[in-house]
């Protein structure tokens, strides 16, 4: 059980960081050039790293889904990914978080706690 929860935490981290790095890489710009012989595409390193992390998160998601009920995994992981993306956006992209977003994240956390209460 501990290993499954650890997998979910790693999945959430890879997904959120992967998406954040994708955004950072896209801000650097993707260069696409055509010539008579071929097409050349230059990807910024952050974009490439984001793609790799997001692919890893997809594979980890399949492992996590095989160990938990989908009705549990999807809402919990989606909520945690949202919160992690906001944190990474503030730290890495220097984005501002509004009071409404903070309240929304608190509501999401309360929802996760409620979902995990024993019946």
């Amino acid at each position: 059980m501990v290993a499954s929860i650890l997998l979910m935490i790693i999945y959430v981290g890879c997904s959120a960081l992967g998406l954040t790095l994708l955004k950072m890489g896209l801000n650097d710009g993707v260069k696409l050039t055509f010539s008579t012989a071929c097409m050349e595409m230059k990807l910024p390193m952050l974009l490439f790293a984001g793609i790799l992390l997001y692919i890893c998160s997809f594979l980890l998601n399949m492992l996590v889904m095989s160990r938990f009920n989908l009705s549990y995994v999807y809402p919990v992981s989606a909520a945690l990914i949202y919160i992690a993306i906001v944190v990474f956006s503030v730290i890495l992209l220097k984005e501002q978080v509004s009071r409404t977003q903070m309240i929304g994240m608190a509501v999401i956390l309360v929802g996760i706690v409620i979902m995990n209460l024993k019946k």
Side-chain angles (χ1 to χ4, degrees):
M1 182 67 166
V2 173
S4 297
I5 292 172
L6 183 60
L7 273 176
M8 181 183 266
I9 292 169
I10 294 169
Y11 157 64
V12 167
C14 284
S15 183
L17 186 58
L19 287 169
T20 305
L21 291 177
L22 278 170
K23 169 70 173 158
M24 292 171 72
L26 289 170
N27 287 347
D28 290 344
V30 176
K31 294 175 180 70
L32 184 63
T33 57
F34 295 97
S35 67
T36 56
C38 65
M39 177 180 78
E40 183 179 334
M41 184 176 197
K42 294 183 181 179
L43 297 177
M45 189 55 80
L46 287 174
L47 180 62
F48 187 69
I51 291 168
L52 288 179
L53 270 176
Y54 203 64
I55 289 170
C56 288
S57 78
F58 174 76
L59 298 173
L60 286 168
N61 186 28
M62 290 192 307
L63 278 173
V64 169
M65 281 193 301
S66 71
R67 296 176 183 215
F68 293 105
N69 291 335
L70 182 61
S71 61
Y72 168 79
V73 169
Y74 184 75
V76 171
S77 63
L80 293 175
I81 289 169
Y82 174 76
I83 292 169
I85 286 174
V86 171
V87 170
F88 287 139
S89 295
V90 168
I91 294 169
L92 298 174
L93 299 172
K94 308 298 184 217
E95 292 181 0
Q96 300 294 317
V97 179
S98 70
R99 181 172 293 152
T100 305
Q101 284 177 296
M102 296 293 275
I103 293 168
M105 286 186 290
V107 170
I108 288 170
L109 288 173
V110 168
I112 290 172
V113 169
I114 292 171
M115 282 185 63
N116 289 296
L117 291 175
K118 301 287 184 206
K119 292 181 181 180

